[in-house]
Amino acid sequence: MEASRWNKKWLNAVFFCVLFMCTATVTQASSEITFTCQAPYYLGKARDTVAPGERIQALFSIESRSTQDKAADIRISLPPGFLPEEEYENWQVGWQGEQYYLYRQIKLAGGYSQWFDLIAVQAAASLKEGTYNLTVTVDDTVLQVPVNIAVEEGAVTDAPVELEDIVLPLDREGKMDDRLNRNTLVLRDRSWDYYKNLLRGKGASNQEVEAIHPLTHLGLDIKNTARQQRLVLATIQLLDANTQQPVTGLFTPGTTSEDHEAGSMGGHEDRLVALIALNGDMRQRIQLPVYADEQLVSGGGRYLLQVELKDKETPLLVKTIPITIIKKDMKAAAVVGIAVVILAAASIFALRRLRQVLKIMKTRWLVTIALFGAAAFAVVNVPATLLNDFFHILLGPFGFMVTGLFHGVFLYMMIVALVMLIPYPGVVALMTIIRMLLGMLAFGQLSPIGLLSYGTHAFMLEVLLIGSGMYGRIQAGHAVQHVSFRQIIQLALICGIADSAATYINLQGMAFLYRMYYADWYIALILLMNGFVYTAIGAACGTLLGSRLSKVGGD
C-alpha cells in the first residue's frame, strides 16, 4: 500500500510536469509574434466615436520575439463604407466582394523586432450610426477592431483646417505676458553678455550656444472641424511692413551642440521652422518658442509676422499679422553715462567751491535752508512714499497724476520760495542734500536711481538759475520787493525745463538699471504733466510765496 501511494504521487508529479511543459511550449509558440491595431488613433485626447465622413487613423504595431527571422503577411480588411486613401507608400490596395483591403508583407529580424505604421482610411459620409469592424489578419491570426460611428452635434465634415489667430507674446505656461502689448517682441540685448560672463566667473563661453533661449512664445489657434490628424510643417518669418519681403530676425536653433553647425545659427538663419501635429481636436492651440537675434534685425518698429503651415509639398495655410519689434538700443546707457560723468565733474567742482559758498552764507541762512529741506521732506517725501502704492492701486499707471502734485507743485513752490529768500548759488543744492539725507535715514532711499534723481534735479536747477542770471536779478529786486509777471514766467520756465530734463534722465536710468521700459506716449505724458505743468505751477506759486516771506522776514 505504501509503495503504491508513492508510485501514484510520482506519476501525478510527472504528469503535471509534462502538462506544464506542453502548455508553455504552446504559449511560447503563439506569443512569438504579437500585434495590435488601434482605431481610431488620436494624438490628443482619446475619442470613443468618429463621425461619418471623417478621416480615421489606425495605428498598427507588431512585435516578434523569435530567435529567427520571420516574414509576416498583413491584411487589413475594411468594412463596407470605409474607403482607402488615394495612395499609400508601402501598402497595396485590393478589392474583394464589397469591401477594400490593404495588404503588405514585412520581415522581422530575429531576437527582438518591432514594426509599426500609421494608416489612414476614410469613413463615407453616408455611413449610418453603428459599430463597424476592421478585420486585421497576420498570417493565420485574426483580430477584429471595432469602430463606432456616431453623428456628433455640430460636427462638420470635409471642412478645411483654419488658422484662426496668432497670439503672442506668451510665457512658458501659455499665459499672456501682461508686461507687453499684444503682438510685441522685445529683443534681448546680448552685446554685454561676454563681459557679464567674465565678471560672473563663467569665462569666455560660446555666445551662440547661450543665445539658444526662447525670446517668448506664440500660440497658433487652429480650428479643425473635420478632426483631421496630420503632421504639419510650420514656417514663421518676418516680412517688411512696406515691401512685404522676407527679412532676417528669427532663426531656428541647431539640433545638438556637437554639430559643426550648432549654436544660434545652426538651423535656419532667416526663419523659424517647427514640425507640429494636429491631434484631431476641433480647436487646438499649438505653442511654439520664438528665437530671435537682435543682431539680425536691422531696427525696431513695425513688421509683419507670417505663419505658413504646409502639408507635404502643398501649402495648407498662410496667415500674416502686424507686429511691433522693440529693439533695445544704447540710448538709455548713453544718457545715464553722460549724466553720471557730468554729475561727478559737478560734484568735484562743488566740493572745491564749498568753502567759498559757506563763507557767503549767514548762519541764519543756513538754518533757513535746513528748515526748508526738512519741510520739503515732510511735505513731499513722506506723503509720496506712503501713498504711492495706494494711488497706484486706484489709478494704475496714471497714479503719477496725484503723486506729481507733491513732487511738482509742493516741492518747487518751496524751492522757489527759498530762492526768493536767499538768492545765492548753492542754495538749491544744499536744500536738496538735506532732503536726500532725511529720506535715506527715514525710508532707506539709498539707491543709484535716488542719487541720480537728486543730483540731476539740483544740478539742472543750479545751472539754469546761474546761467540765466536769475540769482542776480532776484538780489537786485530785493530792494524794491516787487515781483513782476515776467519774473514769474522766467522762473516757471527755468524750473519746468530743469525738472523735465531731470525726469527724462531718471526714466532712462530706470530703463538702464532696472529694465523698466515705458511707451513713448507715457514718457511724453510724464514729462508734460510732472516735468513741466506741475513744476511751472509750483514755481509760480513759490515766486509769490517767496516775495511775501521776504517782505515779512526782511534781509
Side-chain angles (χ1 to χ4, degrees):
M1 291 292 295
E2 190 67 25
S4 61
R5 288 181 180 179
W6 278 104
N7 291 334
K8 288 182 179 180
K9 290 182 179 180
W10 278 105
L11 289 174
N12 290 336
V14 171
F15 174 77
F16 281 115
C17 288
V18 172
L19 180 62
F20 176 78
M21 291 176 63
C22 293
T23 305
T25 303
V26 173
T27 304
Q28 183 180 4
S30 62
S31 63
E32 285 184 351
I33 295 179
T34 59
F35 65 94
T36 61
C37 184
Q38 181 182 350
Y41 173 75
Y42 286 94
L43 299 174
K45 185 178 179 181
R47 292 169 52 202
D48 297 330
T49 61
V50 295
E54 187 173 341
R55 188 171 183 263
I56 303 172
Q57 300 276 5
L59 179 65
F60 177 83
S61 175
I62 185 171
E63 293 183 4
S64 174
R65 302 179 184 275
S66 175
T67 57
Q68 300 178 355
D69 295 346
K70 288 281 186 179
D73 295 328
I74 306 172
R75 176 171 173 153
I76 301 178
S77 300
L78 306 182
F82 283 68
L83 307 176
E85 294 280 286
E86 295 182 358
E87 183 180 355
Y88 292 99
E89 294 183 2
N90 301 312
W91 293 82
Q92 299 178 8
V93 181
W95 172 265
Q96 183 178 7
E98 297 181 354
Q99 60 188 30
Y100 289 94
Y101 66 88
L102 305 177
Y103 171 80
R104 71 165 299 168
Q105 187 181 56
I106 63 172
K107 293 183 179 181
L108 302 172
Y112 176 80
S113 179
Q114 184 181 27
W115 182 90
F116 60 90
D117 196 4
L118 191 65
I119 311 161
V121 295
Q122 183 73 36
S126 59
L127 282 178
K128 297 181 180 180
E129 295 187 357
T131 302
Y132 299 80
N133 291 323
L134 299 178
T135 304
V136 183
T137 305
V138 177
D139 294 336
D140 297 329
T141 307
V142 180
L143 176 67
Q144 299 289 336
V145 181
V147 178
N148 297 320
I149 301 295
V151 179
E152 299 182 7
E153 184 178 355
V156 180
T157 60
D158 298 331
V161 177
E162 299 178 18
L163 180 57
E164 289 188 317
D165 197 7
I166 303 173
V167 183
L168 78 148
L170 301 176
D171 57 15
R172 291 182 297 179
E173 299 178 355
K175 299 179 181 179
M176 284 293 298
D177 194 345
D178 297 332
R179 298 172 298 176
L180 299 173
N181 295 327
R182 185 168 177 175
N183 299 339
T184 301
L185 291 178
V186 179
L187 300 182
R188 281 193 301 262
D189 185 7
R190 297 192 296 109
S191 56
W192 298 94
D193 285 354
Y194 177 81
Y195 302 100
K196 291 178 182 178
N197 292 335
L198 291 180
L199 294 176
R200 293 174 180 174
K202 291 184 178 181
S205 56
N206 189 340
Q207 296 302 304
E208 289 192 349
V209 173
E210 289 194 356
I212 307 179
H213 298 287
L215 179 69
T216 184
H217 294 78
L218 65 83
L220 304 179
D221 291 339
I222 296 178
K223 182 180 180 181
N224 187 8
T225 309
R227 299 182 181 274
Q228 300 182 29
Q229 295 187 79
R230 62 178 70 180
L231 295 177
V232 178
L233 184 66
T235 303
I236 306 170
Q237 60 182 348
L238 291 176
L239 304 180
D240 187 87
N242 299 321
T243 63
Q244 297 188 1
Q245 295 298 318
V247 296
T248 58
L250 303 181
F251 66 87
T252 304
T255 54
T256 63
S257 60
E258 301 298 330
D259 298 336
H260 68 281
E261 293 182 346
S264 61
M265 302 296 106
H268 300 275
E269 297 184 0
D270 56 350
R271 60 194 180 276
L272 179 63
V273 179
L275 192 65
I276 62 178
L278 303 182
N279 59 14
D281 292 340
M282 295 187 64
R283 294 187 182 275
Q284 178 184 2
R285 169 170 287 187
I286 298 175
Q287 183 172 327
L288 297 176
V290 178
Y291 300 92
D293 194 333
E294 80 283 353
Q295 298 177 0
L296 300 178
V297 181
S298 58
R302 304 289 294 179
Y303 288 84
L304 298 177
L305 184 69
Q306 177 179 283
V307 178
E308 183 181 45
L309 303 182
K310 287 185 178 181
D311 183 12
K312 296 182 179 179
E313 298 298 329
T314 305
L316 178 65
L317 292 171
V318 177
K319 189 177 182 63
T320 304
I321 62 170
I323 66 170
T324 301
I325 293 182
I326 301 176
K327 186 175 182 180
K328 300 176 183 178
D329 51 23
M330 301 301 295
K331 179 174 63 177
V335 170
V336 174
I338 294 173
V340 170
V341 171
I342 294 176
L343 285 179
S347 300
I348 296 174
F349 178 78
L351 289 176
R352 298 181 64 179
R353 299 290 301 273
L354 180 61
R355 182 172 297 181
Q356 298 179 7
V357 171
L358 294 178
K359 285 182 179 180
I360 299 175
M361 297 289 178
K362 300 178 182 180
T363 303
R364 59 189 182 88
W365 288 357
L366 296 175
V367 174
T368 304
I369 293 172
L371 290 176
F372 268 80
F377 165 76
V379 175
V380 178
N381 291 53
V382 173
T385 303
L386 298 180
L387 301 179
N388 182 58
D389 293 337
F390 175 75
F391 289 121
H392 183 73
I393 294 174
L394 292 180
L395 303 177
F398 299 99
F400 72 89
M401 302 292 288
V402 178
T403 57
L405 295 174
F406 300 100
H407 291 285
V409 178
F410 298 154
L411 176 60
Y412 279 88
M413 182 173 63
M414 301 185 69
I415 289 176
V416 175
L418 179 62
V419 171
M420 295 295 294
L421 285 175
I422 310 172
Y424 288 93
V427 171
V428 176
L430 292 175
M431 176 185 171
T432 303
I433 291 174
I434 297 298
R435 188 167 69 93
M436 180 182 67
L437 293 176
L438 290 176
M440 291 180 180
L441 292 175
F443 300 109
Q445 296 176 344
L446 178 61
S447 64
I449 288 296
L451 296 176
L452 184 65
S453 177
Y454 284 112
T456 51
H457 276 82
F459 174 76
M460 295 300 299
L461 271 177
E462 289 287 358
V463 168
L464 291 180
L465 288 174
I466 295 173
S468 63
M470 186 56 64
Y471 279 131
R473 286 196 292 271
I474 296 176
Q475 292 176 15
H478 273 192
V480 295
Q481 293 185 350
H482 175 71
V483 178
S484 63
F485 181 74
R486 180 180 178 181
Q487 192 175 34
I488 296 176
I489 296 299
Q490 288 177 345
L491 283 172
L493 289 175
I494 289 173
C495 293
I497 294 173
D499 192 64
S500 298
T503 303
Y504 179 77
I505 295 174
N506 187 34
L507 292 174
Q508 295 300 324
M510 297 287 289
F512 176 68
L513 296 176
Y514 302 119
R515 294 295 188 263
M516 296 181 63
Y517 295 92
Y518 302 98
D520 293 337
W521 66 268
Y522 188 74
I523 295 176
L525 184 61
I526 291 179
L527 295 180
L528 176 63
M529 296 302 297
N530 274 21
F532 194 85
V533 175
Y534 286 168
T535 302
I537 295 174
C541 296
T543 305
L544 299 176
L545 177 62
S547 177
R548 300 287 181 87
L549 292 176
S550 62
K551 292 179 181 179
V552 174
D555 190 24

